Amino acid sequence: MPTLWLDDIGADDLEEVGGKAASLGELTAAGLPVPSAFVVTADTYRSFIEATGIDEELFEAVDVDTDDSHALAEAAERAQELILGTDLPASVREDLLAAYDEMGDADVAVRSSATAEDLPDASFAGQQDTYLNVSRADLLQRVKECWASLFTQRAIYYRKENGFDHDVVNIAVVVQEMVDAEKSGVMFTSHPSTGAPKAILEAAWGLGEAVVSGAVSPDNYVVDRASGEIEEVTVADKRVMCVRGDDGETIERSVPEEKREERVLSAEEIHRLIEVGETVEAHYDTPQDVEWAIFEDEVYLLQSRPITTIDEGSAVPSTDAGRAEPTEAAGAADGGSMQTSSEDIRLSGLGSSPGRVTGTVKIVDKLDNLDKVEEGDIIVTEMTTPDMVPAMKRAAGIVTDQGGMTSHAAIVSRELGVPAVVGADDATDRLRDGQTVTLDGDMGTVEQGASISEDSEEEDVPTVEPHSPVKPMTGTEVKVNVSIPEAAERAAATGADGVGLLRIEHMILSTNKTPSRYVEDHGERAYIDEIVDGVRSVAEAFYPRPVRVRTLDAPSDEFRQLQGGEDEPSEHNPMLGYRGIRRSLDRPEEFTLELRAFERLYDLGYDNVELMLPLVTDAEDVLRAKALMEEVGIDPEKRDWGVMVETPASALSIEGLCEAGLDFVSFGTNDLTQYTLAVDRNNNNVADRFDELHPAVLNLMSQVIGTCREYDVSTSICGQAASKPRMVQFLVDEGVTSISANIDAVRDVQHEVKRVEQRLLLESVR
């Protein structure tokens, strides 16, 4: 039969309906409140591709060299075209629509349930698609789209790498009645780290997508199951909610002001959920991670899976498994052709991100002020921090008193494509809220008023475009730097060969808590999830291109500004102090959680993630970190990993580093330059002495590249200097393996690399 109802499904039907559907069938049979659903069986998918005759062409199309990114992209496109472009047999169409009509005429969720998820020695979880609020008219197309998601680039690559034939993997599809949830969330029936009998509930308004995706910080409730006492209640500021839009799509909306800080769950609702959760745990005889929803005072279970993160040896922390602040939609004000005059210019600084915009000044002197920043405003602040990223995405422009071209404000604004002026000294004193100013991110100026010529037409703020739209072929790989996960799609669109630097610290510091405080408040699982979710969005956007992820590297003065920062050391010069690998090795319990996040990503199939250690001094640092990697289950022989070379000591110790077994080194020229020349890169008084092309810096880099070539260790650069033509010329001449540039410079660097490579080729044959 093309379809089966949940009432007829159990754990023994895994091969026919997939893991998700089998679990829902088990819950239904146990008498638990699961929304009505039918399953389009795996046999239906199989008979579809065979009866229509596309099976041979489908599997032939995906039989490609998955290391060839062009061939992989073409294979995925062709495979999905075959499925989406082929009509369903009439009997299947009729059966699916009849089952839908039998369930009613309400919208449904169309949820993939792949049979490959439980194959031995591999995890295919999260690779297939799910669609919410699907109408009858769209049902058949959405089912086919679920089938087609078996053949994304990542799914094809992962199966090939793990030795699974494409024709052994099937997919079922759950078509389930939508619960138009008024409130929803997740529940751990036991403590997710220790297994203690403490239930933990997260709750937010609207559909559960906002909670499971991390788009909203949910309320958190901790319940002692033995006594039934609600031990902790943490009411979050819930800024967004997922709801059904007018066109049927799931959209994010702002939570009404009066409900943002209102408690979501009453005591009675909490106890009802606990009762249901205990029944689920008893049925499976193991602690469960349950997704739930409440509509018209009725509780519904949407999914349940075993908790896999329980560590019997750990203590029970005070837990609030909340996530990062919600992500706001990026916005930009309209700019235009503007006139300037010297008397109009109010401030001067460094133009750190190109573009010219006019907007309303919003002074941000503390995090509580971020909510007042609306789309199109100009943020004016002493300096930006990772906590400000959601507001920076809304802003049309950014002005800071402090900072240089490598400051947080400069790096993030470039990645977001938001014009910025940094190091403007007294902007927060001289500008005022509500004032209209024009910011020029090329010239580094801020002027009063709009200054738009009357005969000019307004234009949207342009995104940064390369001088040439054509991607050249180069022997030297050209990658891209990414500071925040929100920039992943923009970075991937550059056509870069991968990510040469993804910084973890922005993901962690954006929680506004130090690592130790975050773990204390929310638990180890939530901390790991913060890292996994951030890295995963970038790894997914680039898959299978490599994404090089640097472990935590932030100076102590940044940690001191966060909750829990009072315990951080007070240092005269934090840039020379307690940061990078020295902090990680001194706090192995925190560093181990980062490493567990990498291991989780590998288990999820993101084998394009590479681990990079910052601020190493010598081989001893590397060997100690390597031992911790092995302790958490990361095999250094199977995973690509390496180090940052950003101190003279590491450059001069390069032979010992190579002998430690690493796969690559990457120059951090911002730090390498400041440590070699004794120039604080963020100190405006000596900014003119900061020169990455200084002969001393270049000599160190040349020595490192030469030694690494002898040991067959790849070399790269991910500092600010990678975008400079003279640095590109030097590195290609020296034989560097890859260059990682800022987002707005990738294409120009590609052309510069090609030019240098052509010169070297000509010189070799003359």
Side-chain angles (χ1 to χ4, degrees):
M1 293 180 61
T3 60
L4 291 172
W5 291 90
L6 288 187
D7 294 339
D8 303 320
I9 293 171
D12 294 338
D13 300 305
L14 184 66
E15 292 186 4
E16 180 68 5
V17 299
K20 183 180 298 177
S23 175
L24 291 172
E26 282 285 309
L27 296 174
T28 301
L32 291 161
V34 178
S36 177
F38 64 88
V39 180
V40 184
T41 65
D43 283 346
T44 304
Y45 157 75
R46 178 61 55 174
S47 63
F48 162 70
I49 61 174
E50 292 177 352
T52 57
I54 66 171
D55 54 331
E56 291 187 7
E57 185 176 358
L58 179 66
F59 299 129
E60 182 179 340
V62 297
D63 185 18
V64 296
D65 178 4
T66 53
D67 290 324
D68 183 336
S69 58
H70 180 70
L72 182 61
E74 287 188 340
E77 182 178 3
R78 179 55 184 155
Q80 293 177 68
E81 279 179 353
L82 284 169
I83 292 175
L84 297 176
T86 302
D87 290 335
L88 287 170
S91 59
V92 175
R93 291 200 307 270
E94 292 170 2
D95 192 271
L96 265 61
L97 292 174
Y100 175 93
D101 292 337
E102 183 176 343
M103 200 162 53
D105 60 357
D107 286 353
V108 295
V110 178
R111 314 170 69 187
S112 61
S113 183
T115 62
E117 291 177 357
D118 294 316
L119 286 174
D121 303 320
S123 170
F124 293 81
Q127 292 191 8
Q128 278 70 59
D129 292 340
T130 287
Y131 302 94
L132 303 180
N133 293 307
V134 178
S135 66
R136 187 182 194 275
D138 296 329
L139 174 65
L140 302 180
Q141 179 66 17
R142 291 304 195 192
V143 169
K144 289 203 296 180
E145 287 174 358
C146 276
W147 290 346
S149 68
L150 269 180
F151 297 99
T152 61
Q153 292 185 49
R154 176 172 166 249
I156 296 170
Y157 183 91
Y158 187 67
R159 287 196 293 272
K160 185 69 172 289
E161 288 297 297
N162 284 277
F164 293 104
D165 294 333
H166 298 293
D167 57 3
V168 304
V169 180
N170 292 325
I171 185 171
V173 178
V174 179
V175 180
Q176 189 167 34
E177 181 182 355
M178 273 293 301
V179 177
D180 193 12
E182 297 157 356
K183 50 187 75 173
S184 55
V186 297
M187 167 174 52
F188 301 104
T189 61
S190 296
H191 194 285
S193 296
T194 68
K198 290 182 182 291
I200 299 171
L201 297 90
E202 293 178 328
W205 304 113
L207 300 175
E209 177 66 16
V211 176
V212 298
S213 69
V216 66
S217 293
D219 285 0
N220 182 269
Y221 310 88
V222 180
V223 181
D224 184 331
R225 284 174 46 188
S227 66
E229 178 185 357
I230 302 174
E231 294 185 335
E232 298 179 30
V233 175
T234 304
V235 179
D237 181 3
K238 300 166 288 293
R239 304 182 183 185
V240 297
M241 60 193 298
C242 286
V243 298
R244 183 184 185 279
D246 294 337
D247 59 355
E249 295 292 325
T250 302
I251 62 173
E252 280 189 10
R253 281 187 180 157
S254 296
V255 174
E257 192 68 31
E258 67 276 8
K259 299 185 71 172
R260 279 180 49 168
E261 298 186 14
E262 179 183 328
R263 176 170 164 167
V264 175
L265 293 177
S266 67
E268 189 270 337
E269 288 171 327
I270 291 172
H271 290 303
R272 284 166 57 198
L273 285 166
I274 297 298
E275 182 178 351
V276 171
E278 289 178 337
T279 304
V280 177
E281 181 173 310
H283 178 79
Y284 285 110
D285 196 27
T286 189
Q288 295 286 301
D289 175 355
V290 180
E291 294 179 24
W292 56 267
I294 294 178
F295 176 64
E296 293 185 344
D297 204 36
E298 293 292 329
V299 172
Y300 295 91
L301 296 188
L302 306 179
Q303 191 165 339
S304 186
R305 61 182 71 82
I307 298 174
T308 59
T309 58
I310 293 175
D311 181 357
E312 296 295 339
S314 60
V316 180
S318 173
T319 306
D320 171 355
R323 295 176 171 85
E325 288 298 308
T327 301
E328 303 287 349
D334 287 338
S337 176
M338 306 175 191
Q339 298 174 333
T340 65
S341 62
S342 59
E343 60 267 26
D344 288 334
I345 295 176
R346 303 202 26 128
L347 300 168
S348 295
L350 296 174
S352 63
S353 182
R356 190 169 186 181
V357 291
T358 294
T360 302
V361 168
K362 293 294 175 66
I363 305 292
V364 176
D365 54 9
K366 55 184 178 179
L367 295 180
D368 291 345
N369 298 149
L370 290 175
D371 287 345
K372 71 181 183 181
V373 178
E374 299 176 350
E375 290 191 8
D377 288 340
I378 305 289
I379 293 177
V380 179
T381 186
E382 182 179 357
M383 65 174 64
T384 64
T385 65
D387 314 77
M388 296 184 181
V389 170
M392 294 171 71
K393 293 177 65 179
R394 297 195 296 272
I398 298 163
V399 182
T400 68
D401 290 346
Q402 302 177 17
M405 294 297 288
T406 60
S407 63
H408 176 269
I411 292 171
V412 173
S413 59
R414 283 194 295 269
E415 292 190 6
L416 294 175
V418 176
V421 174
V422 300
D425 291 331
D426 54 357
T428 53
D429 290 331
R430 296 178 60 189
L431 298 177
R432 63 182 184 276
D433 269 337
Q435 186 175 15
T436 299
V437 298
T438 296
L439 179 157
D440 191 322
D442 295 288
M443 300 297 296
T445 61
V446 181
E447 54 186 338
Q448 185 175 6
S451 300
I452 301 175
S453 62
E454 295 180 359
D455 59 349
S456 66
E457 294 183 4
E458 289 193 339
E459 300 173 346
D460 289 337
V461 177
T463 56
V464 178
E465 297 290 344
H467 296 311
S468 171
V470 180
K471 177 184 178 181
M473 298 297 294
T474 62
T476 306
E477 292 184 331
V478 179
K479 300 179 180 179
V480 63
N481 298 330
V482 179
S483 293
I484 54 175
E486 292 88 343
E489 291 185 4
R490 187 168 182 260
T494 64
D497 295 314
V499 175
L501 172 63
L502 173 61
R503 300 170 173 88
I504 274 185
E505 57 264 26
H506 291 308
M507 306 170 200
I508 295 173
L509 299 183
S510 64
T511 67
N512 196 32
K513 296 181 180 181
T514 63
S516 58
R517 173 61 65 85
Y518 192 90
V519 171
E520 178 183 345
D521 290 350
H522 307 285
E524 294 180 352
R525 175 192 170 102
Y527 184 80
I528 293 171
D529 285 346
E530 285 286 348
I531 300 172
V532 170
D533 292 345
V535 174
R536 183 177 184 176
S537 62
V538 181
E540 186 72 44
F542 277 85
Y543 200 90
R545 292 172 287 175
V547 174
R548 194 164 288 174
V549 184
R550 187 179 70 186
T551 57
L552 186 62
D553 182 21
S556 57
D557 58 340
E558 292 189 25
F559 282 114
R560 285 180 64 82
Q561 300 177 49
L562 308 177
Q563 296 178 38
E566 61 274 8
D567 297 328
E568 293 292 324
S570 179
E571 300 180 287
H572 179 67
N573 190 340
M575 295 299 289
L576 293 174
Y578 195 55
R579 53 173 291 215
I581 194 65
R582 57 190 66 169
R583 178 189 178 96
S584 296
L585 294 176
D586 193 48
R587 302 188 179 198
E589 67 283 355
E590 293 178 7
F591 185 47
T592 296
L593 296 180
E594 292 180 55
L595 297 178
R596 285 172 58 187
F598 279 89
E599 180 62 13
R600 175 93 63 81
L601 286 159
Y602 297 142
D603 287 342
L604 290 170
Y606 294 98
D607 46 3
N608 59 329
V609 171
E610 301 177 348
L611 189 156
M612 183 159 62
L613 304 170
L615 209 68
V616 300
T617 300
D618 50 35
E620 181 180 356
D621 287 340
V622 177
L623 293 172
R624 290 175 62 192
K626 185 178 179 182
L628 290 172
M629 291 164 57
E630 293 171 333
E631 283 184 17
V632 303
I634 298 175
D635 187 344
E637 300 300 321
K638 295 182 179 179
R639 303 298 181 188
D640 285 343
W641 64 285
V643 302
M644 297 283 290
V645 171
E646 34 192 351
T647 66
S650 58
L652 296 172
S653 303
I654 188 60
E655 189 169 359
L657 292 174
C658 291
E659 290 174 349
L662 47 83
D663 299 292
F664 62 84
V665 301
S666 184
F667 296 110
T669 51
N670 299 334
D671 278 340
L672 183 60
T673 300
Q674 75 171 350
Y675 295 142
T676 302
L677 304 182
V679 174
D680 182 349
R681 67 191 193 196
N682 291 324
N683 187 333
N684 292 335
N685 296 318
V686 292
D688 59 334
R689 291 180 173 270
F690 188 89
D691 180 16
E692 303 99 324
L693 295 166
H694 190 284
V697 179
L698 298 183
N699 186 43
L700 288 172
M701 296 171 70
S702 178
Q703 291 181 47
V704 170
I705 293 173
T707 302
C708 286
R709 292 178 70 178
E710 294 176 9
Y711 282 86
D712 197 26
V713 172
S714 298
T715 52
S716 182
I717 178 176
C718 57
Q720 176 76 13
S723 302
K724 296 185 176 182
R726 284 183 57 198
M727 180 62 79
V728 172
Q729 294 164 20
F730 166 80
L731 290 170
V732 177
D733 279 338
E734 291 293 321
V736 78
T737 308
S738 65
I739 295 173
S740 190
N742 297 330
I743 290 176
D744 55 346
V746 168
R747 189 56 50 84
D748 292 339
V749 170
Q750 289 169 335
H751 282 277
E752 184 62 26
V753 168
K754 181 180 180 181
R755 190 186 68 78
V756 178
E757 288 180 345
Q758 288 176 331
R759 173 177 59 78
L760 292 173
L761 183 62
L762 286 173
E763 290 176 353
S764 69
V765 298
R766 283 174 176 169

